[in-house]
Amino acid sequence: MPFEEGEYIFLADDEKRYWIRVSYGMMSVPSLGSVDGNKFRDADDGHSVTIAGKEFTAFRPGTVDLIGSLERGAQIIGAKDAASIIMNCDIKCGDSVLEIGAGSGSLTTALIGAVAPDGCVHTVEFREDHASRAAKNIKRTGLDKYWTCQIGDARNVDVDVKADALIMDMPDPWSALDNLEKNLRSGGRLCAYVPNINQLELTVTALRERRYYDVRAAELLERGLEVHPGGVRPAFQMLGHTGYLIFGRKRT
């Protein structure tokens, strides 16, 4: 299907990506200058377009692409952890998700992509600057119609949401359980994301005390491979510790 006017896409060459919102007219693209948007009337995902004598490939972004394009402030939850959260919490189209902590909107973007177009994500963010940055990033992707956000402290905020999944990216998730448990449906799934072992222990203990089912914790590590003619080896550098994931399922 050809690109539609208003659609958010990127142009790729061998070195860089150029993000644009399609317009069937003259567009200003940073680093490329003025571009005739009529080139995209008949172009589709993966098609080549020539701009100022240089060839680019036009792509529709996936969730990983969108996460990589975000303006960053707080450390983001990347694709390896976001994918595990979505799978382990069984988040799917039509679900309602309550997210604690917006950060830069990275995980929020992945969650919205999983629940849209029939579900929604509601985020509670303690800091207004984080909420503002996340809102800017999510609006840029065009996913903001499936998202709402409120400023508040998760330990005492009043949330008008009944969620299928509760996702907590905060330093002390155990301290907010008494307030937020009522917002998670019976049988709903919870995930807490914390950077340190002592936080993991306190969270797991709190969930077990509240009789959550299948409480478990994990850390995901990702190592790339260097592939060259005549030789393939693991990369010397890897995406190691980012955070610990704690999962559980509510029962009454």
Side-chain angles (χ1 to χ4, degrees):
M1 183 178 69
F3 296 125
E4 297 180 358
E5 198 164 21
E7 190 171 356
Y8 193 52
I9 68 171
F10 66 90
L11 306 175
D13 58 17
D14 292 333
E15 300 176 353
K16 190 175 178 181
R17 295 180 178 185
Y18 303 85
W19 290 87
I20 64 172
R21 195 168 297 281
V22 175
S23 173
Y24 297 155
M26 296 304 296
M27 301 182 295
S28 179
V29 180
S31 302
L32 293 182
S34 295
V35 175
D36 183 1
N38 286 306
K39 293 177 179 287
F40 301 102
R41 283 185 180 274
D42 298 316
D44 201 346
D45 194 19
H47 283 196
S48 295
V49 294
T50 301
I51 297 172
K54 186 175 180 180
E55 187 173 280
F56 298 87
T57 306
F59 289 108
R60 285 189 174 92
T63 300
V64 173
D65 300 311
L66 292 174
I67 289 174
S69 77
L70 301 182
E71 176 188 321
R72 301 189 183 188
Q75 180 177 345
I76 70 167
I77 296 179
K80 71 179 180 68
D81 294 322
S84 181
I85 291 169
I86 289 170
M87 289 296 293
N88 279 282
C89 291
D90 194 34
I91 296 171
K92 55 194 177 299
C93 179
D95 279 354
S96 172
V97 177
L98 175 57
E99 177 192 36
I100 307 302
S104 298
S106 170
L107 179 60
T108 315
T109 299
L111 294 173
I112 297 172
V115 304
D118 299 322
C120 63
V121 174
H122 182 77
T123 302
V124 175
E125 171 56 53
F126 183 72
R127 293 178 49 171
E128 291 192 13
D129 58 332
H130 285 182
S132 178
R133 182 181 293 110
K136 178 181 177 181
N137 280 328
I138 294 166
K139 185 175 182 179
R140 189 164 63 96
T141 67
L143 296 171
D144 52 303
K145 57 188 172 182
Y146 310 113
W147 180 65
T148 55
C149 182
Q150 72 181 94
I151 303 297
D153 187 334
R155 292 169 293 185
N156 53 42
V157 69
D158 185 18
V159 182
D160 187 20
V161 170
K162 198 67 170 181
D164 299 291
L166 170 60
I167 314 299
M168 309 175 77
D169 178 13
M170 59 182 293
D172 54 343
W174 60 90
S175 69
L177 288 175
D178 286 342
N179 182 48
L180 296 176
E181 276 188 314
K182 63 183 181 297
N183 297 106
L184 180 63
R185 68 167 175 83
S186 179
R189 291 170 169 85
L190 177 148
C191 174
Y193 181 88
V194 296
N196 299 316
I197 285 285
N198 60 317
Q199 296 167 306
L200 181 154
E201 181 182 12
L202 288 167
T203 304
V204 168
T205 299
L207 290 174
R208 287 175 176 167
E209 289 175 347
R210 289 164 175 79
R211 298 184 62 256
Y212 274 69
Y213 172 73
D214 193 25
V215 177
R216 52 198 165 82
E219 178 186 29
L220 305 179
L221 308 178
E222 181 179 311
R223 183 170 66 175
L225 297 175
E226 298 288 344
V227 182
H228 305 288
V232 179
R233 62 168 178 80
F236 291 126
Q237 294 184 332
M238 65 182 293
L239 184 56
H241 174 71
T242 48
Y244 299 109
L245 298 169
I246 303 110
F247 299 102
R249 192 168 186 184
K250 182 181 176 181
R251 54 184 170 188
T252 55

